[in-house]
Amino acid sequence: MTATTTDAVMDLDEALERFDPVFGLEVHVELNTATKMFCGCATGFGADPNTQVCPVCLGLPGALPVVNATAVESAIRIGLALNCEIASWCRFARKNYFYPDMPKNFQTSQYDEPIDFEGYLDVEVDGDDGPETFRVAIERAHMEEDTGKSLHVGGATGRIQGADHSLVDYNRAGIPLIEIVTKPITGAGGRAPEVAKAYVSALRDLMKALGVSDVRMEQGSMRCDANLSLRPRATGSQEQADVPLGTRTETKNVNSLRSVERAIRYEIGRQAAVLAAGGSIVQETRHWHEDTGVTTSGRPKSDADDYRYFPEPDLVPVAPSAELVERLRGTLPEPPAQRRHRLQSEWGYSDLEMRDVYNAGAVELIEESVAAGATPAAARKWWMGEIARRASAELRPLADFGVTAQHVAELDGLVTSGRLNDSMARQVMEGLLAGEGTPTEIADARGLQLVEDDDALETAVDEVIAANPDIADKVRGGKVQAAGALIGQVMKAMNGQADAGKVRRLILDKLGA
Amino acid sequence: MTPDLTRSSAADLAGALSRKDVSAVEATQAHLDRIAAVDGDVHAFLHVDTEGALAAARDVDRRRAAGEELSPLAGVPIAVKDIAVTKGVPTTCGSRTLEGWIPPYDATVVARLRAAGLPILGKTNMDEFAMGSSTEHSAFGPTHNPWDLERIPGGSGGGSSAAVASFQAPLAIGTDTGGSIRQPAAVTGTVGTKPTYGGVSRYGLVALASSLDQAGPCSRSVLDAALLHAVIAGHDVMDSTSIDAPVPPVVEAARRADVRGLRVGVVKELGGEGYQPGVRTRFEESVQLLVDAGAEVVEVSCPHFDYALAAYYLIMPSEASSNLARFDAMRYGLRVGPDGVGSPSAEQVMAASRDAGFGDEVKRRIILGTYALSSGYYDAYYGQAQKVRTLIARDFAAAFEQADVLVSPTAPTTAFRIGEKLDDPMAMYLNDIATIPANLAGIPGMSLPSGLADEDGLPAGIQLLAPATKDERLYGVGAALEAALEQRWGGRLLDRAPELDGSAASATEARA
């Protein structure tokens, strides 16, 4: 079902000429702890509905929460990686509202005492002269529990409107979440959509590097809400920062990197059209429609939404010691951007090559392949070739195709050792993608082996020279490039199973060129 | 002639069991028979688990016969307030909303009772979700005070105290959020302890107010309470607020029963105006007995106690409004559709079910709490109440500089008549004026009988309070005072309670 809208949308360039976009992002990251935030239930994705539940996460009468210490450590590590202050004492709070997928009808979250606060994340965007760094200020990151998942049955849209009944799966209820909230991001101007995407992307890399989350947006383990408002462009001697902020909308469930950029772009155009027509922006939540690339009005949201927050009396305060924080600081990984720059220089990739590799999600795979013995060039060639084409076409991760870093290193080894030439290696890659075994097994099974019998090769060279006296003369006469035709014929005679470089050397030697 | 096992103290019964003078099955059956004979009058139980209790008793007898080492109270039957979830046994909290719900798990307290081999006779009546001081707010009808069946047995744990007072169980589990163990103990002539907050796990106790709730023992003697306290107390990983420290030496203190050199502080603000003369007289006599036993008495002042009731009636309903939100008919409990709505939404079902499932007092407190937590009111109500709470804790800290234990009457009056205060919530709330400060500060408190008030011949209680984690002081002082009082009375107070023969119930039935 396609969401339709009659909203007018202003051309982006025009919108940005007239208005300054200010945006903020709320990103929910599901932690990959073995157990839930407040109970011992398993957290695996995709289990049968309501099989990973217990009295605590079902909110049965009398059940009490106990904080998952690993989740707290992950929250602290995330805070440290986001350059945040870590609270030495903070509490959980209850956010009270009724909804069937929330077993207790309150969410155990953090309110005015987040564990992480006042940080920043530097993200890279393309500038006029290569990559530029944009600093995104982080307001806070706090711990909370996820809700269950409602499945609305019988309607056309899968939304609750028009549904016949709803099913609730509580497996997700109580999964630990970290909500990371930026401060209002100003100063991005026309690059706002790009900065938003780069921020979410950088956040995803950081979570991955920290090893705290699977950050698979398509599975919902990373979810993004985008707030956006417009204010008039500063005029005259006015500073842009002195222009008051406009009314914002919150677009929910913008759950892919591409969508983050598109949703921000759409909302800029939509709000600009409203404002330019003399209208005013309604403070509301909006739904993002991935298929049509538009947002539609959700429920009105005002600051009067009253969740009756109060400190969670069933939990004791979280008070991480300075020693713990310092120990966790010692476990932080190299910042992803810094690591990317280091790897780029180690691997000798161009900016463009590195960006492609990064965008394809191949950095780790190449790193592992190189560690397993592949050359950086070969590793890039293999991962960014057929595998990347398929991954891109099927919207699946590169690692999903049965080819491992070990395979790539082994394949590259077979080439550098002289067993396979390039076209043979491509056949082996086909075999790998078809799941036929390891590179050596595939080469053996397919009978792929360069001929190392020099006599046979020399005989073939002699025969080709004898059969092509004209070309041979040209080569003798100094037209070395004419040797290509001879090489091709020799390779054909050898059924492709010869080292082309070696053939070339033999021909040139024999013709004294 | 076989002695009546139901008249025995838990300690004596435990002794007889361990000597194999009686079997656990005999002890349990005797109490089940007593329940059958008199609970029609008293209505202490909402559910009697005959089969479960006898099975547990048989298991104890088998293990004892096999020479296994058993817990000191193994085979001593017990009643459990219907607020503690019991696997496979109905748990209603005195509410229609949970009628018919069978919990799939045991509260930690219940699990510890089972592990210690105490056969659970059944679940006792209570004010709905522990909201009340008379047990009249039970959706399943009031419990009657064994001393006078026309009177209330206190609340919210009136069922547990009445069961113990009427010899239907030697021990019972209660919970105390603002006095629900101590006030029923006072008006039924029994003993009840609210341990230090965190002393007993709250896991599996249906929450009224999480920061105030605490489970504890109900019994007919201080030593019996100590024996049960020792079984149920101790750290529980399932309750973050449970104290990770050894259980205070309560049994040793009860056996020592020594107050010599102890400083006893009489709290100036708890007594005097509003307290029934007979209650005050018995209290003053008890204080004198402590002096006679070697204690030193000082008067202490806790000026902020005047605000305790107000603070309590903001904090408790605030937490309750949130704790009771889960009763929404989605996963368990009563579910009703709204009238005249063909295909109701989840929200409509929630509203209709909560309207039908909750009684007036529950609704009153949910509304109070929702209001107090609302944006714009939070600071003035919940926030201020938390500040009062801090001041009360400071009052206690200062008082405990001067005294080792504090004493006061437990409740301002003896048991009032059923129906007398039902339409006057403020009068009802004032029952807990002396017990609430301990909950706000998290300190332990005990009520034990001080005698019968002269004007009505009904039991009055004296409350003992100790600093947090010093629960053993309650037992040392309580046991000493109990001994002195029983010497004066020439026996146990409860021996003076009227005999019950079940005739009141048959009379009621005849009228019905």
Side-chain angles (χ1 to χ4, degrees), chain B residues 141-190:
Chain B
T143 296
H144 301 262
N145 192 321
W147 289 81
D148 177 348
L149 296 174
E150 299 297 314
R151 290 177 187 264
I152 60 98
S156 64
S160 282
S161 293
V164 170
S166 58
F167 300 95
Q168 301 186 64
L171 298 170
I173 296 294
T175 59
D176 189 314
T177 305
S180 289
I181 289 174
R182 289 163 289 161
Q183 181 258 8
V187 300
T188 58
T190 58

Side-chain angles (χ1 to χ4, degrees), chain B residues 148-420:
Chain B
D148 177 348
L149 296 174
E150 299 297 314
R151 290 177 187 264
I152 60 98
S156 64
S160 282
S161 293
V164 170
S166 58
F167 300 95
Q168 301 186 64
L171 298 170
I173 296 294
T175 59
D176 189 314
T177 305
S180 289
I181 289 174
R182 289 163 289 161
Q183 181 258 8
V187 300
T188 58
T190 58
V191 177
T193 306
K194 180 201 94 70
T196 298
Y197 182 79
V200 176
S201 170
R202 290 186 297 114
Y203 188 74
L205 308 176
V206 181
L208 166 54
S210 308
S211 72
L212 302 164
D213 296 345
Q214 186 58 200
C218 305
S219 67
R220 292 189 293 263
S221 79
V222 173
L223 176 61
D224 284 2
L227 290 166
L228 180 54
H229 189 138
V231 168
I232 60 175
H235 184 239
D236 177 16
V237 293
M238 299 299 280
D239 176 1
S240 311
T241 61
S242 112
I243 296 169
D244 191 2
V247 177
V250 291
V251 176
E252 295 79 345
R255 291 196 197 281
R256 211 177 310 118
D258 188 1
V259 294
R260 279 172 300 174
L262 210 76
R263 295 169 303 163
V264 173
V266 175
V267 185
K268 199 175 92 186
E269 287 77 9
L270 303 177
E273 203 191 335
Y275 288 74
Q276 190 179 318
V279 171
R280 285 158 65 177
T281 307
R282 293 290 91 84
F283 170 71
E284 283 151 17
E285 284 170 9
S286 292
V287 172
Q288 186 55 48
L289 285 175
L290 287 171
V291 172
D292 297 345
E296 177 196 330
V297 171
V298 293
E299 189 185 75
V300 299
S301 176
C302 295
H304 298 99
F305 282 17
D306 290 348
Y307 308 107
L309 191 74
Y312 176 80
Y313 273 96
L314 289 168
I315 292 168
M316 177 271 295
S318 293
E319 294 186 11
S321 71
S322 176
N323 282 331
L324 269 62
R326 69 188 61 197
F327 300 104
D328 64 1
M330 292 295 113
R331 292 160 301 280
Y332 47 79
L334 180 74
R335 178 185 289 184
V336 301
D339 283 340
V341 179
S343 181
S345 68
E347 205 166 58
Q348 289 171 315
V349 171
M350 284 182 183
S353 301
R354 287 168 69 81
D355 186 29
F358 290 148
D360 288 348
E361 183 62 22
V362 174
K363 287 176 187 166
R364 179 169 17 243
R365 296 197 194 186
I366 289 174
I367 292 167
L368 268 173
T370 303
Y371 187 81
L373 288 176
S374 294
S375 148
Y377 298 98
Y378 180 93
D379 291 341
Y381 294 131
Y382 189 78
Q384 281 297 104
Q386 290 293 7
K387 288 179 191 162
V388 169
R389 196 170 181 173
T390 303
L391 294 174
I392 285 169
R394 284 187 197 157
D395 278 359
F396 270 124
F400 285 124
E401 294 282 310
Q402 298 169 259
D404 300 302
V405 294
L406 304 178
V407 294
S408 76
T410 307
T413 68
T414 57
F416 48 90
R417 290 183 190 284
I418 289 173
E420 192 180 318

Side-chain angles (χ1 to χ4, degrees), chain A residues 431-473:
Chain A
L432 284 170
L433 286 164
E436 292 172 14
T438 67
T440 307
E441 286 166 2
I442 294 165
D444 288 349
R446 294 191 172 199
L448 299 171
Q449 169 78 56
L450 283 179
V451 174
E452 288 175 23
D453 181 344
D454 286 353
D455 293 345
L457 197 55
E458 274 192 54
T459 307
V461 169
D462 290 342
E463 282 171 13
V464 168
I465 289 173
N468 297 279
D470 299 350
I471 300 174
D473 281 344

Side-chain angles (χ1 to χ4, degrees), chain A residues 117-200:
Chain A
F117 55 96
E118 294 293 327
Y120 62 86
L121 182 62
D122 287 335
V123 303
E124 281 182 9
V125 287
D126 287 334
D128 298 333
D129 313 305
E132 283 177 12
T133 295
F134 191 96
R135 177 160 292 188
V136 174
I138 306 289
E139 168 94 25
R140 56 185 284 160
H142 71 251
M143 302 177 278
E144 61 184 30
E145 58 179 339
D146 211 340
T147 61
K149 214 173 187 169
S150 295
L151 181 67
H152 304 298
V153 184
T157 58
R159 292 183 188 274
I160 193 165
Q161 291 79 11
D164 172 53
H165 64 274
S166 303
L167 299 170
V168 189
D169 177 5
Y170 293 103
N171 284 353
R172 202 181 68 177
I175 300 265
L177 289 180
I178 304 294
E179 180 177 345
I180 301 163
V181 183
T182 66
K183 291 182 190 281
I185 301 166
T186 57
R191 289 186 304 175
E194 191 196 346
V195 170
K197 179 186 174 187
Y199 167 73
V200 177

